[in-house]
Amino acid sequence: MHNSVENRFLAIICGALLLFVAPLFVLFLFLSSERADKEIRDHISVLLVANSQALAKPLWDLDDDSVTQISATIVSQGAIVKVQVRDQSGQLDVTQSTIPKSFNGNLVQVSRAIIYNTIDGPKNLGTISVFYPALGLFSGLKHEEIVFMSIFIFAVLAVFSAALIGNRIFIIRPLMRLTAAVEATRQLGSRHHVNWQSNDEMGRLASGFNEMQSKLESEERELKLAHRRAVDIYDLTPAMLFSLDEDDRITAVSDYWLVATGYERPQVVGRRFADLVTPDTREAFLGRKNDLDGGAAFDVTVKFICASGSIMDVLILESTAATAGHDRLSLSVMTDVTELKASEARNHEQAIRDHLTGLLNRQGFESVLDTKIQQADALGQELACLFVDLDRFKWINDNLGHAEGDRALREFVDRLRMHLAPSDQAARLGGDEFAILLPAKDAARRAGAMAEQIASIFVEPFGPDLHLSASVGIAIYPRHAANAAELLQKSDMAMYAKKRDGKNGAQLFDNRMMDHTRARAEIETYIEAGLAEDWFDAYLQPIVSLNGRGVAGFEALMRLNHPQKGLMAPAEIINVAEETGKIIRVGNVIMEKAIAHLAAISRLPGMQDSYLAINFSPLQFEAALPARLAALLGRHGILPQRIVVEITEAVLMHNNPLIRTIVTEMRRFGCRIALDDFGTGYSSLSYLNRFPVDIIKIDQSFTRSINDANDDVRQKSRTLVESITTLSHRMGCTVIAEGIETEDECHTLHDMGLDFGQGYLFHRPQHAAALIERLSASGQLIARAS
């Protein structure tokens, strides 16, 4: 065992010897060698001094024998192994050596000049060189030093051996017993103890290990008992419990889970749970991990495939936790929610379906519209959206009751379904508004054909004298719209465009409708700002007698005076105000200002009995209208007889009992009733019999045609005007002609017996202040209207 504690201890001791003892030993040898070398050099130096003097005379005389003899004497001295004597002239070169042939070591050379003192002074005759072997670390040791080193080495080895033996006895042996106990515990599973007792650290370690083993043994017994109880609870709990591993494989299932699903435990343990889920909900189950954090609990609803092959909707509540190894453990409970899902499906269906007709409602239609657009893109098709609004449906509800209206709606849907293809989708958006989606390669052609089929639906009446029609707006994706909201909006625009053009037909969206919509939105803004900033005013147009041209009364006309645009055309403002319901607020403002203007005019001489004609929209006929009018008249001190309530055939066509009651109440209060634009409707004569009308106002279209260049048109127009005048007079009604612009028209109408007239020939609509100034300047007298 290369990594054993003993080997490591041995390595530490050896390392300590190498780091501390070995350097000291080497240093000792080095110092001994240096000392021995110094002694040799000193000896040779003395020897060279003496022998160089002895060699001076023989070398001067070139006495080869004497030089050889002296050299032999030197080479025999101590450590010297070689002597070489040379003269300067090179005539004499004596070498003496005792070096054996086997010697291959290094030699150290020491040289000295040979000086001979002559009469002429000292002369350098040559050199003497001696050689001795270079000393090693051990070469200079003396006997005493060798003995000391031997004792030192023996002491180190004794300490080293004692450390090894102590380590084995007091450390390795208890560690081996501890290791054996751990290994036995690992292999056999039982808790083994260490048989070692001492008062040192190893004894305490063995005692602590034995205590730990005893405690772990006790905890294991408790864990086994707890696991046994958990398994019993897991299997006996009346719930579908199961567990998954990190790879979503089933690791355990409860007995109740097996009973509910019909599987056997060996069939499912180890299988991926996703394999037991239907393919359409498998992604939802696998995707649950994306929203999962460690230790979190989450839920997912999937369709589970039972052993019998039946499908069960289940809600899975899963609680997960990460272990120390980062593996995910989970405990899940599965609940059968098949009935609940069926109930939710029914509730969802009810939420997106219209309860009356069974079609999709607006919410369902908007969700389907997005899907249909995606399908059209995928198939390379277009998608037509038909916005259908039933004409005169409100009249059915108001006059025949909502039950009859609901029956008509159901009848319309039943007829419509006969013309729908399986790929088509219809919805009731609310009230009498419907939408139809038609996917096709040429959606415009398909939509046109469907519009014709819708028109054919209304050929047969929906009841006795119950005739309906429809206005249809058509928009095509992607020709006219880039998304679902825009497609529905533009088909709605096209439908309203058809409404404005006379209803009963179909209209394909055109970009010019956007301009109209923007203009309409701008007018809405002006109306709201006009009400807030007091831009509305009542202009007055005098009504004069055709016999004498005296002013009999005034018609109040709505005007909006924009700060930048000036006076704006009233017709479009009135239409938008009626569509948005703001006509009630506008009408109240105009009524208040018109009555105030009448009070101011009444202070002029001769104007005390002049009357004021006020136009009322059908929406203005609320229950509080008579009381509001009475309060205004009382505030300004004006008699009710001086007020003429002008109503159009559009008001009378509603045949609304509330309108009839309000008109009758205003008539009883003292106000007179005028029927405006007479002759333009299809049943005007019947209104004269049903309503208490005092004044008939002939539409300006008749006034312009009584002097038409075409003889036939002129003759027919005059006949109609004369007939209306005669009939009205016989019924006690005063007749007023509108739109008189020429003297010829005035004379002709006077000759035909009409009573009063108004138009640009006499007066234009004016601001009350300008009109008062003009009347004051002209001294105009009032003409009585009987």
Side-chain angles (χ1 to χ4, degrees), residues 440-480:
K441 286 290 185 182
D442 186 356
R445 182 190 60 79
R446 177 84 196 284
M450 177 58 71
E452 293 178 0
Q453 293 172 349
I454 292 175
S456 67
I457 289 175
F458 301 101
V459 173
E460 292 293 328
F462 285 69
D465 296 328
L466 186 56
H467 294 274
L468 288 175
S469 62
S471 298
V472 181
I474 303 172
I476 309 296
Y477 170 85
R479 294 192 205 177
H480 303 137

Side-chain angles (χ1 to χ4, degrees), residues 541-585:
Q541 184 178 27
I543 300 172
V544 303
S545 171
L546 297 182
N547 184 17
R549 309 285 178 92
V551 176
F554 307 92
E555 180 179 3
L557 301 173
M558 184 277 294
R559 292 292 185 270
L560 189 152
N561 190 3
H562 193 277
Q564 285 80 38
K565 296 180 176 293
L567 289 177
M568 300 182 65
E572 191 65 25
I573 294 175
I574 292 174
N575 290 337
V576 174
E578 287 184 336
E579 289 178 10
T580 59
K582 292 184 175 65
I583 190 64
I584 298 174
R585 295 170 59 193

